[in-house]
Amino acid sequence: MNTNIEVVKQEIGMTDKDPWANIKGGKPRVGDVAEGSMTLTPEKTKAFADISGDHNPLHFDEEAAKRSIFGERIGHGAMMIGAINGVMVQKIPGPGAVMMHADWRFSNPVRVGEEITARVEVLEVRDDKPICKVRTSVIRSDGVICLEGDILTYVSPV
C-alpha cells in the first residue's frame, strides 16, 4: 500500500490549487449562517444516556433535580454539542466537517422537553486548506443562550 501523501491527495481529489474544489457544498463564505432545531424529549435523553453512560440523576430524577441549583430536570450538555454538529455536517461547512478544536461556554441549562436551536456562523475560511472557524450557539425556546463558542473545523472530501 502506497502512503505517499501526494498519491493520497490525488486519490481523494485534493489538489494544491484549490483545496475546496472537491468539498461537497463547496467553500463556505464568511458570514454564512445556518440553524437547526430539535426538542430534547425524554426519549432522546434516555437514548443519549444509554449510548454515553451518563445517567446523572439531574437528567432523570425529578426529586434530585428539584434539590439542585437547576430546580428541575436538565438535558445533557453533550446533546447541545450534537445539535451543533448536526448543523455543521448537514448545512455549513457541510458533509465531511470534523471538529479540530472547540472553545465553548455552557451558560444555562436546557430543560428536558424543551426545543433548542443550534446556530453556526462562518467567521474565517482558509484558502490553503479546507479549514474554517465557526461561531456556534444553542438557544432555548425562551431565547436564552445555553452554549456559545467557536470551533475550528476541517472539511474532508466525502
Side-chain angles (χ1 to χ4, degrees):
M1 178 178 185
N2 189 344
T3 59
N4 180 306
I5 192 72
E6 295 307 316
V7 172
V8 172
K9 282 183 176 181
Q10 287 179 337
E11 288 175 359
I12 64 171
M14 287 181 69
T15 66
D16 290 330
K17 294 180 183 174
D18 183 3
W20 292 95
N22 294 307
I23 302 299
K24 199 173 208 171
K27 183 179 180 181
R29 294 182 313 269
V30 171
D32 283 352
V33 174
E35 294 182 343
S37 296
M38 68 174 271
T39 300
L40 258 62
T41 64
E43 295 80 16
K44 288 178 185 173
T45 301
K46 171 134 179 28
F48 184 82
D50 289 343
I51 291 167
S52 68
D54 181 353
H55 293 276
N56 188 327
L58 294 175
H59 307 308
F60 300 102
D61 184 331
E62 198 68 50
E63 291 305 311
K66 282 181 184 176
R67 291 188 304 271
S68 76
I69 190 171
F70 305 110
E72 60 189 317
R73 288 175 52 206
I74 60 170
H76 294 83
M79 287 183 72
M80 290 190 278
I81 296 169
I84 289 169
N85 199 56
V87 173
M88 284 179 31
V89 301
Q90 293 176 26
K91 298 178 180 179
I92 56 172
V98 294
M99 297 180 200
M100 295 172 61
H101 175 82
D103 183 16
W104 283 309
R105 184 170 62 92
F106 293 83
S107 53
N108 290 288
V110 173
R111 299 174 287 253
V112 174
E114 188 161 43
E115 181 177 84
I116 59 172
T117 299
R119 184 177 193 274
V120 175
E121 177 184 359
V122 178
L123 299 178
E124 300 171 13
V125 180
R126 287 182 54 171
D127 292 324
D128 63 327
K129 295 180 181 179
I131 292 174
C132 61
K133 183 178 182 180
V134 297
R135 168 134 317 128
T136 61
S137 59
V138 173
I139 303 134
R140 292 191 318 214
S141 55
D142 62 3
V144 172
I145 295 172
C146 298
L147 175 155
E148 58 188 340
D150 298 341
I151 302 173
L152 188 63
T153 68
Y154 176 85
V155 186
S156 178
V158 292

